[in-house]
């Protein structure tokens, strides 16, 4: 890959990191874990960028939050967020980005993209729920009692991410190189 493409990818990765941060600020409180738009941007970045750059984008987001910048939901920052109720979801963002990029790699294909997004959706929620079960053994059931809201919301975000990605991919030159 030439230097020009590397610079473009760096800019796109930075832009997606910014969108993830903005998505974290758009939050609906639902108890100990809010509904955020950030995961929609995780879906989009993982479908839009090559795996390495997708992982860079999500990793930068997580590192910015870990060092204390207020990039997580509710304007929170600091490493302690990884030990709080959203810790599993935050780690799930990175793991989901890997799997979505891995599955959707190559020539764009709607079916591959849908499968990749469903896997990414499952990874985020699996890690989030497992963390809640571990960290909050007495209170995680209360979170699951309203979990259908997360599922419906994330299915909508998944559909939006798919449509947006299909519309912007043809502008991304590395997809056709």
């Amino acid at each position: 890959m030439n230097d020009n493409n590397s610079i473009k990818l760096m800019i796109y990765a930075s832009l997606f990191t910014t969108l993830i941060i903005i998505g974290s600020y758009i939050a609906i409180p639902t108890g100990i874990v809010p509904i955020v738009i950030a995961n929609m941007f995780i879906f989009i970045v993982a479908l839009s960028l090559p795996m390495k750059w997708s992982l860079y984008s999500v990793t930068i987001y997580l590192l910015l939050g870990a060092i204390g910048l207020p990039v997580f939901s509710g304007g929170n920052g600091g490493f302690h967020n990884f030990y709080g109720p959203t810790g599993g979801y935050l780690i799930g963002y990175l793991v989901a980005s890997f799997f979505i990029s891995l599955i959707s790699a190559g020539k764009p294909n709607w079916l591959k993209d849908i499968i990749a997004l469903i896997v990414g959706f499952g990874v985020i929620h699996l890690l989030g729920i497992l963390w809640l079960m571990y960290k909050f053994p007495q209170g995680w059931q209360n979170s699951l009692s309203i979990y259908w809201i997360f599922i419906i919301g994330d299915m909508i975000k998944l559909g939006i991410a798919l449509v947006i990605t299909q519309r912007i991919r043809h502008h991304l030159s590395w997809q056709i190189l």
Side-chain angles (χ1 to χ4, degrees), residues 6 21 33 45 75 79-80 82 85 87-88 99 117 139 148 155 174:
S6 293
I21 293 167
V33 177
V45 69
F79 197 74
H80 66 278
F82 292 94
F99 282 110
L117 288 173
W148 60 272
M155 285 293 146
W174 57 87

Side-chain angles (χ1 to χ4, degrees), residues 5-6 16 20 27 37 40-41 49 53 56 86 88 91 95 105 121 131 133 140 152-153 155-156 165 170 172-173 177:
N5 276 341
S6 293
F16 280 120
I20 296 167
I37 305 296
M40 182 180 76
F41 292 115
L49 296 180
W53 291 96
Y56 286 161
T86 60
I91 298 304
V95 177
F121 164 85
W131 180 252
M133 290 171 63
W140 69 271
I152 292 170
M155 285 293 146
I156 292 168
T165 303
H170 68 280
L172 308 176
S173 61
L177 291 176

Side-chain angles (χ1 to χ4, degrees), residues 2-18:
N2 66 33
D3 289 339
N4 192 29
N5 276 341
S6 293
I7 292 170
K8 282 182 187 178
L9 287 166
M10 200 178 314
I11 291 168
Y12 282 120
S14 300
L15 173 65
F16 280 120
T17 301
T18 304

Side-chain angles (χ1 to χ4, degrees), residues 28-82:
I28 300 169
T30 59
I32 62 172
V33 177
I35 296 173
V36 294
I37 305 296
N39 51 350
M40 182 180 76
F41 292 115
I42 299 292
F43 297 151
I44 294 170
V45 69
L47 284 178
S48 300
L49 296 180
M51 181 188 294
K52 176 173 96 171
W53 291 96
S54 168
L55 293 173
Y56 286 161
S57 183
V58 177
T59 301
I60 290 167
Y61 164 71
L62 295 174
L63 289 174
L64 290 172
I67 64 170
L69 295 177
V71 299
F72 297 144
S73 65
N76 290 312
F79 197 74
H80 66 278
N81 285 279
F82 292 94

